[in-house]
Amino acid sequence: MKPTPHPLRPKVGTVRGAFRLGNSQIERVGVSRWNWSDSYHWILTLSWPRFFAWVLLAYLLTNLFFATAFYLVPGSVANARPGSYLDMVFFSIETLATVGYGYMNPGSTYGHLVASSEILLGMAEVATVTGLLFARFSRPSSRILFSEAAVVTNFNGVPTLMIRAGNERSNLILEASVRASLVRREHTLEGQLFTRFYDLKLEREQSGVFALSWTIMHPIGVDSPLYGKTQKDLHDEGTTLTVAISGTDDTLNEFVHAHQSYAAEHIFFGHHFADILSDKLHGPGGDVRILDFGKFHDIIADGSDSGVASGGAMAHPG
C-alpha cells in the first residue's frame, strides 16, 4: 500500500503561562503571574527572535531615556546642535557603547553625571546580554525527532502501540532511556472525575547507543490501559500519550532530553510505519545503508476491519 502522509496537527494558539499536553493547553490559574526570581529561567525559554527583540527593546529604551535626560537640560552635550533631539540620541548611543568619537562630549557637570550613569548601566547591560547569550548557546539540546503519529498494529501476533523516534544529528546518544505514559480522565468509584497517569511497559526501555532510529513499542496485553480500547474510547476519555527520551550526547558529554505528546486523534489503529531503512550499492564490493527521513512520518494501513485493540485485531482511525 502507498504510505499515508503524517496527519497535520491542529493549529492552536499559544496561551501565555500554559503548556501543551496533546492538543490541549493547560493554563495555571491562582498562582503569581510573575516572579523576579524566575527572570533568568523565563529569558532562557524565549525563542531566539523574541530574545533578540527584548534585547533590542532594552537597548532602544535605554538610549531614549538618557537622550531625553540630556535634552531636558540645554548645554549638557557640547557641540550638539541646539534643540536637536537626534543629536542627543546619537550621543547616548556613543556613550552607552563607550565609543566616544570626540566631536560631541559632555558640556556640563550635569552632562558628565548623566554620561557616567549611562556608561555604568551600559557595562552592566553588555555583561548581562553576554552572559545570557553564552547560557543560551551553551545549553545542551537534542535533535531527537518523533513521528507525528503513533500507531497500533500487530507485532509478532501481539497488538502493539508504536512510536518512532530518530536522531537527526550524526552523533550518538549514549545510555538512552525512554519512558511512555498514558494520561486520561476517569471516574472513581465515588463518582469523582480524576486524571490518571499510567506508565506503559515498553518492549525496550534502554539503548546503549541511540544513533539512527528507535521504534518504541508497548505490547497491549490484558494489564495494559489500552487493552480493549478503540480510538473512539481514547477520544471520549480525553486520552493523551506522552513519550520522553533522555541520554548523554557523546559530542557535548552532556545530558540531553526530548519529549512528545499525542492526542487520541493522532493514535492510528490498524496502521504501521513505512520502512525507512534500506541498502544501496556503493562501489565495488561494498554497500551503505540509507536512512530516509523523508518517509519518517509515513504510515501504512494494515487493512484490518476490527475495531478493538486486543486479540490481534485493530481498527482504522475514525
Side-chain angles (χ1 to χ4, degrees), residues 2-312:
K2 184 179 179 181
T4 304
H6 66 81
L8 295 177
R9 298 189 175 189
K11 300 297 183 182
V12 181
T14 301
V15 177
R16 184 175 179 180
F19 66 94
R20 296 294 301 275
L21 189 62
N23 283 342
S24 301
Q25 292 187 117
I26 300 177
E27 183 179 5
R28 298 178 178 90
V29 296
V31 295
S32 175
R33 282 286 185 176
W34 177 255
N35 192 314
W36 284 105
S37 62
D38 290 334
S39 299
Y40 178 72
H41 179 271
W42 175 74
I43 291 174
L44 291 183
T45 60
L46 291 175
S47 64
W48 280 108
R50 289 187 177 183
F51 173 75
F52 284 116
W54 276 101
V55 171
L56 179 61
L57 179 63
Y59 179 76
L60 292 175
L61 290 178
T62 301
N63 281 295
L64 291 177
F65 173 80
F66 283 101
T68 303
F70 288 122
Y71 183 78
L72 291 177
V73 179
S76 297
V77 180
N79 300 320
R81 290 174 295 178
S84 174
Y85 185 75
L86 189 60
D87 278 2
M88 303 302 171
V89 173
F90 286 133
F91 179 70
S92 175
I93 293 174
E94 296 167 11
T95 303
L96 188 66
T98 66
V99 174
Y101 289 116
Y103 178 73
M104 290 186 292
N105 56 276
S108 65
T109 301
Y110 172 81
H112 280 289
L113 290 175
V114 175
S116 299
S117 301
E118 185 171 12
I119 290 172
L120 180 61
L121 180 61
M123 290 190 297
E125 287 186 351
V126 169
T128 301
V129 173
T130 301
L132 291 173
L133 279 171
F134 177 79
R136 291 176 65 92
F137 273 113
S138 62
R139 184 175 55 178
S141 62
S142 67
R143 286 190 61 192
I144 296 176
L145 178 66
F146 290 93
S147 57
E148 290 285 347
V151 298
V152 178
T153 186
N154 284 333
F155 183 77
N156 288 332
V158 178
T160 304
L161 170 71
M162 295 185 181
I163 302 129
R164 176 181 278 168
N167 183 9
E168 291 189 281
R169 289 179 177 155
S170 300
N171 71 339
L172 307 177
I173 297 178
L174 307 177
E175 300 299 328
S177 61
V178 61
R179 295 285 300 273
S181 300
L182 198 72
V183 186
R184 67 186 180 200
R185 302 278 281 171
E186 297 180 353
H187 284 91
T188 65
L189 296 178
E190 293 76 21
Q192 296 179 344
L193 193 60
F194 197 75
T195 300
R196 294 288 301 271
F197 287 75
Y198 293 92
D199 291 331
L200 300 183
K201 184 178 180 181
L202 303 178
E203 186 77 18
R204 185 182 182 189
E205 296 183 347
Q206 291 186 328
S207 176
V209 176
F210 178 25
L212 302 175
S213 64
W214 187 354
T215 301
I216 303 161
M217 298 186 292
H218 164 66
I220 303 176
V222 293
D223 57 344
S224 169
L226 287 171
Y227 184 79
K229 299 293 184 180
T230 65
Q231 190 172 42
K232 183 178 184 302
D233 293 332
L234 301 186
H235 185 272
D236 293 342
E237 294 170 351
T239 300
T240 299
L241 173 66
T242 64
V243 186
I245 293 179
S246 59
T248 301
D249 188 296
D250 75 325
T251 302
L252 304 174
N253 198 28
E254 293 279 356
F255 178 82
V256 295
H257 61 89
H259 70 278
Q260 181 67 289
S261 60
Y262 301 88
E265 55 264 36
H266 298 120
I267 303 175
F268 279 63
F269 284 65
H271 283 68
H272 61 274
F273 288 113
D275 190 10
I276 61 173
L277 197 60
S278 61
D279 294 333
K280 180 180 179 181
L281 293 179
H282 187 71
D287 57 39
V288 294
R289 305 203 75 180
I290 303 299
L291 187 64
D292 187 1
F293 276 89
K295 299 189 295 183
F296 190 86
H297 303 287
D298 291 349
I299 57 177
I300 302 174
D302 294 336
S304 173
D305 296 325
S306 176
V308 182
S310 61

